[in-house]
Amino acid sequence: MKRYSTILFIAMVLMTMSCKKFLDEKPTNSLAQPQTLSDLQALLDDSQSMNQLRTSAMAEGAADDAFLPPTTYSTFGDFEKSVYTWNYIGTYFSNDWSAGYLPVFNANYCLDVVSTIPVTPANQADVNNVIGSAHFYRAYNFLSLACTFTKAYDAATAATDLGLPLRVQSDFNKQSVRSNVQQTYDQVISDAQAAIPLLPALPPHPMRPSKAAAYGLLSRVYLYMRKYDEAYKYADSALKIKSDLMNYNGDTEVGNLTGTALPFKQFNKETIFYTEHSLNTGLVNPGSARIDTVLYASYAANDQRKKGFFTPADGYQRFKGSYASGTRLFTGIATDELYLIRAECSARKNDKTGALADLNTLLAKRYVTGTAAVTATDANDALQKILVERRKELLMRGNRWIDLKRFNKEGANITLTRKAEGKTYTLSPNSQKYALLIPLDVINISGMPQNPQQ
Amino acid sequence: MYKNYTFQILRVMKLTTLLLLATLLQVSAATFAQKVTLKEKNAPLETVLREFRKQTGYDFYFDQQTIKKAKPVTLNLNRVSLEEALKQTLANQSLDYSIQDQTVIIRDKAATPVIPVTINGSVRDSLKKPLVGATITIKGGKATLSDDYGQFTLSAQTGDVITVSFVGYRPLSFSVTENMPFQAIVLYELSSKLNEVVINTGYQTLKPNEINGSVSVVTNEMLNQQTGTNILQRLNGVTSGIYFNINKTAGQSKNFISVRGLSTINGNGDPLIVVDNFIYEGDITTINPSEVESITILKDAAASSIWGARASNGVIVITTKRGVFNQKIKVDVSAVVTSTQKQDANYLPKIGVSDYLDVEQFLFNKGFFNTTITNTSSRPPLSPGVEIFLKRRNGQITAADSLTQINALKQYNLNDQINKFFYQSPLTQQYFVTLRGGSNNVAWNMSGGLDRSAGALRDKNQRLTFKFGNSIKVSSRLQADVDVAYANTRTQSGIGTTDIRVNNRVVPYLQVADANGNSVPYYLYRNSFIDTLGKGKFMDWHYYALDEYKHSNTVATLNNFTANVGLTAKLLAGLTATGRYQYQRQWTVSEKLSDLDSYYARDLINSFSALNYTTGIINYIVPKGAIRQFIQLNQSAQNGRFQLNYNHSWKDHQFTALLGSEIREVRTDGTGSTYYGYIADPLSYVAVDFRNRYRTNISGATALIAGAPNLQPTLVSRFVSLYANASYVFKERYSLSASGRRDASNSFGVSTNDKWNPLWSLGAGWDITKEDFFKTKVINYLKLRTSFGYGGNVLLGRYALPVAGTSTDLFTNYPYQRIGTLANPSLRWERTGQLNLGVDFGLWQDRLSGSIDVYRKKSTDLFGQAPLDYTAWGGADNIQKNVANMLGHGMDIALRSRNLTGTVGWNSTALVNFNSNKVTTYYTDASATLFTLVSASGNAIAPAVGKPAFALAAFRWGGLNNAGDPQGYLNGKLSTDYNAITNASAIKGDTSTSITYIGPSSPTAFGSLINQFNYKGFELAVNIGYRFGYYFRKPYFSSNALVGSGDGSAEYNDRWQKPGDEAHTNVPAFQYTNYPQSGARDVFYQLSAVNVLPADNIRLQYVNLAYTRQLRKLPIQSFTVFVNASNLAILWKKANTPYDPDYPTSQGYLHNYSIGFRATLQ
């Protein structure tokens, strides 16, 4: 009997000792715990989380490229109306804040986990791509969020202006704390800089980041910071890698310009990095938004964009010029934007020739062949013409709001006006309302200060 | 803890009295408890000993001459052991006693001379049939067997004790004296159910006095007072502390019974179900109630915490019938037929057909149907009425024709047709047979059951169950148990009534059958479109509601197989080891076969048919043939358990302990597939292209063919547990018990598994009646109990790991992963701490007995969605955390009285339960406000801090204004600005003047009164149940529903129609606003206080009349015939309303009438 009990006792001990391994079984095979290098790359390759429907549409809806006809306006909800009329009431999940912070989490998760993976010569390139991509995505989304939720960069006040909560770790238990605008832009720059040496010059697919994309991102940041020398430098670096432009006068990648169909191929040769506006507000949806009539009228008859970008809808014009597909709106980095940045920076550096060269290179592909030759009396005249073309080329791509902020900082003194349901609303230059309300639930839970609205 | 067995005891007592005649010795036997309580003054010794026999069930042997010479006895015994009683009794006598087996021998202290005696005798059963091969043994010596005539001869000596035994019969003993005459011995059959109540916790079996926890045992007899096919339903109304949640849903609950109220908010609220020692993961409907011997309900922590992380909701332990050693083969058969009341489609009164047509015309004239009429993408059908109005509008018919045709529609009533052609009275038949037997070394049982039912809508259900069990004593130290069970249930779908709508609108004048009962075709697309599409080349595109089930039918088959092996070894004195292993596999196959005549197949084939209008040739993208859809779900569970049991008693001490470990895995997976052009025999099917999109004929859009094969992910839950339980009793009065259990699981977070955080309980009990100072004749039993401890609740399917789904990106073709749930490494089980105070009592020799338990439950770490600062992760604004707390308290009272004990017996049982709970912490802003309860249905958990989990609040009601609009309160003033009222309430919450808290929507007091009467073989049981202290929302008239879906409550008739009506009605005026119909006014009225009513009600739950006859003849030993009626009537309800408070929106209670018999054969 004693022997029996000894055996049984040993069996019992073994049973409980082996439990550790027994409990390592995954609860379901439909789920994976992302741990390996290929898992991390796969997280970054989730274009639905990382590229599609990401960048803020609220800011585009608040800007002045598009408007809502009265019958459409009345069908919108209070939140949308409040954005449209700059009397923000705030919103709850899901929204542009969550859309932007999702890729930030994935980037942070990858950076946290990749540090636990030993680097070998064999996996060096893959590790580089994961780390570089993660830094890029984080920078890209911080910049997009900053355009919407922080004031325009102003070197004089950046250290005190409220910035974004800069989440750089994936631990959700860490409290969100707002940085200042200086720190926010510094973070974007350092992340983008970190990405450059790690990424390939051009990506295998525009949904993936690349050196060219990182340069493009840096040229955007510096442009928004009004540091035009750096903006020039990085736009130039990007264009040195990729400078293709589609010719709107019959390019294999451009379809029929007339009609309701979208003329531009998705992932066309101008696209360096692909993202889209979020759909968290219908304000910018081409189905309901109509193009500002003055803006539309500013397109010349020989401008192929007038046909390619617009189609009539209920007495107005709707936008169909996106580099995305369907009703989605492209907001990524493309060569046309880089030409315009380089042209603007040249003009601001008083280089009229350089500025016009870039502008005309672009416009030659936009106007009816042989009809676009912009001249200017001086660099400033060139600048004004470039800015006009910038607005006409990049509409509905998420640039207008930050441009308004930037131009007003430069003294443009632009006042926006809107009429809705018999009332007139205005947005004065440099208004605090250029930094939209952070979602109310985020403020409630985190205790972060809200953007002041006076 | 209460005992449900009192009634049985009385019945069996008669069986066991026996006197041996024609001898100086007297032999008697009885069965009962072993404790002795007696107070006598100068009583004859014989009287005293007879009383001892009655109380203990021990046999007594004595020489009457000797006993008569003994001195009178004076005693005061209070629940002492028999030995103690004998010691006191014989203290001053010249007598001695000895106890052998269950026999007490009293003899003179003076040595009796030993004289050899030859004994002759015969052994017969109670029917005077000779028992061949009975064993006649001299205690500690030789033995012989009875011969073919049941006779025997044996040599013995005076003073020897001789035992006569036979398998399946109660052994009998007598002492040898001089001059023994012929011994005519009669052996009585062992009653298979010994009347001792056994509490089975799933880990050990205990006697009622060995546990300090709160436990209810429902005996086979009580289970038989109801006749349903679901074992759990038979617990309804017959035991305390358990409540059947009617119409309620909660988290992951399936059966949704609650033991002592809710302990969870988002988790599974079902009690843990244990069948024969192991957690039952399968479908409870596979258990045939006839297989069940008894059910033990573990209610408090001391009783249930042995089940650890799964015990929080209480535990229901089901014990099935097993064979008994030393029992003759016995066959029990039973048959029950139950007829259920026919359902009534008119049960919930609706707007009349004529009124409906008026509304339809009104809507038509307003242009409401214009978008439907011009819809060319889905081609929705129009109701016959609207078709007529349209023809009139288009000038195709005259006004007079239109009127005639509309009036013709008014004679139809769809619900009458549904009653006539669809509904039938459900009929259920239940048959069961079980065979049991056992020898000295083997006990076995076999059973088989067949249940069939024909449902209300020609659906069919069948259940087949087989069970085989075997216990073998391999040696004196080793016993093996092997059990195998198989169940098969088959469900065949019947007629669907939900399809009988037009474009999702209720149309009460539709016809399903003509005057001859033939199916009337109707359209699921616009008739003018379908009739011309395809130029007659397509198959008939009509829908035949009455016939569809004949051609398209779903058969779901569930198979459950369970095998269980156990080994029990006696290691040392008092120490045993048990190893058990169980494998359970359940697979469910659901097969929908739609033949070519089914609408389902015709519609799909037609939709995809590519017709070449020039050649008239159809290319069948979906093959022209039957369609077979197939889904299989598999579940397997494996359990291993190893346990050491230790029992030791010495002097005044009694110690029991067990220590065990358990390992468990549950795995589920499944597949689904669809076969087109299917022919069963010879088997053939046609491959279709699931990948490409094809043009469909209705909208012209392209679509994928549905039914691509799919694989369900494999889910694996694994648990490892260690548990221990110990109890110590001192002087049979003071008892202490403790248990602890530690669980680890692959779905808990790593940090939880590593913390080694056990769930535990402590209990203490005091049997006051055993105390010397306790002297009263009134109270014969009084035990105080208290316990405290913790149970857990596991939310399966929640993961502590950051887990990502994988797929391939459509644009890049790169594999991608997407994190669906944030990692929460500290996710752990929910915990419920429960304090229980209880008293068990018996008065006037158990004439009145019962128990009262008061408990308080505190559930912490409840799963809930805690708000997430989604700056951290944009994927969700909440995260599963252990965030919420709730508090519950209540009282369970069970009282049993024997009102009459003569020829006419009358026993009453009163079950009284109080239970209330409130959510104390819940981490979302919305839930913290009372407004959550305004929008709550009352049937789902709506966590609002400070309020019960099931509760209702409502908009304050200000009556109708003189325009027929409902009025609420805004800032204390009457208002019809419904959006403002809603906004004020939602934001201001508790402080709002616009809303008012009403109360719980689940009963806070409930129970039943069971009266049992018996006269000779007749027994009548009547169960009256009550539920008090809760509220329900009654159905209401909604203009929005009438406009949008044609669904009009009969309240329409009471609606406000003209100024002044507001004085006598609360039903708002019918309103039509331009599309979209504004719902705010309807919603306000729906959720206002005027529509919330008290739900308190008393019901006649069941009446059971049984006649039992003990024949003691071959082959029928006994039989019972019974009739049963259940769900009979609401006897009283507090609210003056036509609605059933528990089923306001459906015909929940249907009367059931059963007739059946049970018989025991041999």
Side-chain angles (χ1 to χ4, degrees), chain B residues 384-704:
Chain B
V386 176
E387 288 283 9
I388 296 165
F389 303 139
L390 182 61
K391 276 185 197 151
R392 174 68 199 116
R393 187 166 80 184
N394 294 340
Q396 290 161 292
I397 54 172
T398 64
D401 288 347
S402 169
L403 196 62
T404 317
Q405 290 179 19
I406 291 294
N407 283 335
L409 293 178
K410 290 185 181 171
Q411 61 175 303
Y412 301 131
N413 186 321
L414 178 62
N415 284 341
D416 289 348
Q417 287 221 322
I418 288 175
N419 279 343
K420 185 172 174 192
F421 295 105
F422 287 16
Y423 286 141
Q424 52 186 24
S425 292
L427 191 75
T428 305
Q429 305 164 60
Q430 295 166 264
Y431 305 100
F432 193 76
V433 57
T434 178
L435 284 77
R436 284 190 276 183
S439 65
N440 280 329
N441 298 322
V442 178
W444 58 272
N445 62 297
M446 276 168 83
S447 64
L450 173 66
D451 293 10
R452 317 175 63 133
S453 63
L457 288 164
R458 296 171 212 215
D459 47 315
K460 286 178 192 162
N461 291 284
Q462 180 180 296
R463 174 174 63 196
L464 201 57
T465 53
F466 292 105
K467 200 164 185 306
F468 176 74
N470 206 344
S471 299
I472 305 155
K473 283 183 182 161
V474 179
S475 72
S476 60
R477 288 179 172 277
L478 189 65
Q479 178 175 326
D481 300 296
V482 181
D483 281 53
V484 180
Y486 171 76
N488 169 294
T489 66
R490 188 175 182 281
T491 311
Q492 187 177 335
S493 65
I495 306 177
T497 56
T498 49
D499 298 345
I500 312 171
R501 290 177 165 226
V502 177
N503 192 24
N504 293 320
R505 292 177 67 81
V506 174
V507 179
Y509 54 80
L510 279 184
Q511 263 189 295
V512 290
D514 62 18
N516 301 321
N518 294 320
S519 202
V520 171
Y522 75 96
Y523 294 82
L524 290 183
Y525 300 109
R526 189 76 191 283
N527 50 1
S528 56
F529 174 72
I530 294 299
D531 289 349
T532 53
L533 182 72
K535 302 201 160 130
K537 299 283 181 192
F538 292 151
M539 286 182 289
D540 180 4
W541 221 324
H542 293 117
Y543 183 79
Y544 301 90
L546 201 51
D547 296 330
E548 180 67 7
Y549 83 102
K550 294 175 189 160
H551 303 292
S552 180
N553 210 299
T554 305
V555 176
T557 318
L558 187 155
N559 291 285
N560 187 76
F561 172 80
T562 310
N564 191 324
V565 184
L567 279 175
T568 305
K570 292 179 189 165
L571 301 179
L572 307 161
L575 180 68
T576 59
T578 311
R580 286 188 191 279
Y581 171 78
Q582 178 174 285
Y583 178 78
Q584 182 186 10
R585 185 169 154 71
Q586 182 168 301
W587 61 105
T588 312
V589 174
S590 169
E591 200 182 320
K592 181 176 176 185
L593 188 62
S594 307
D595 69 26
L596 200 48
D597 291 326
S598 68
Y599 180 80
Y600 181 81
R602 284 182 282 121
D603 179 42
L604 202 62
I605 294 163
N606 282 346
S607 292
F608 278 101
S609 290
L611 172 64
N612 183 327
Y613 280 88
T614 329
T615 61
I617 293 169
I618 292 179
N619 176 21
Y620 288 104
I621 305 296
V622 170
K624 194 173 179 181
I627 301 169
R628 177 179 182 261
Q629 291 157 284
F630 181 85
I631 299 167
Q632 175 160 355
L633 298 171
N634 302 306
Q635 182 187 61
S636 63
Q638 290 189 80
N639 290 275
R641 180 186 294 173
F642 178 73
Q643 186 172 310
L644 293 171
N645 306 290
Y646 183 67
N647 281 299
H648 184 55
S649 302
W650 71 103
K651 292 181 184 165
D652 288 333
H653 314 275
Q654 191 189 333
F655 180 72
T656 313
L658 64 84
L659 173 68
S661 65
E662 192 165 276
I663 186 165
R664 148 176 201 81
E665 178 191 276
V666 184
R667 206 172 257 275
T668 60
D669 60 29
T671 58
S673 53
T674 303
Y675 300 93
Y676 291 94
Y678 173 78
I679 299 168
D681 190 12
L683 179 68
S684 66
Y685 59 92
V686 182
V688 299
D689 179 3
F690 292 118
R691 293 191 56 176
N692 293 306
R693 303 176 78 90
Y694 290 94
R695 187 182 180 281
T696 54
N697 285 315
I698 300 296
S699 66
T702 59
L704 289 172

Side-chain angles (χ1 to χ4, degrees), chain A residues 27 29 32 39 46-47 95 176 441, chain B residues 714 716 804 809 817-818 869-870:
Chain A
N29 65 354
D39 288 341
D46 176 16
S47 74
N95 46 49
S176 296
D441 43 1
Chain B
T714 304
V716 184
D809 189 271
Q817 292 191 7
R818 185 175 303 155
D869 167 13
Y870 47 89

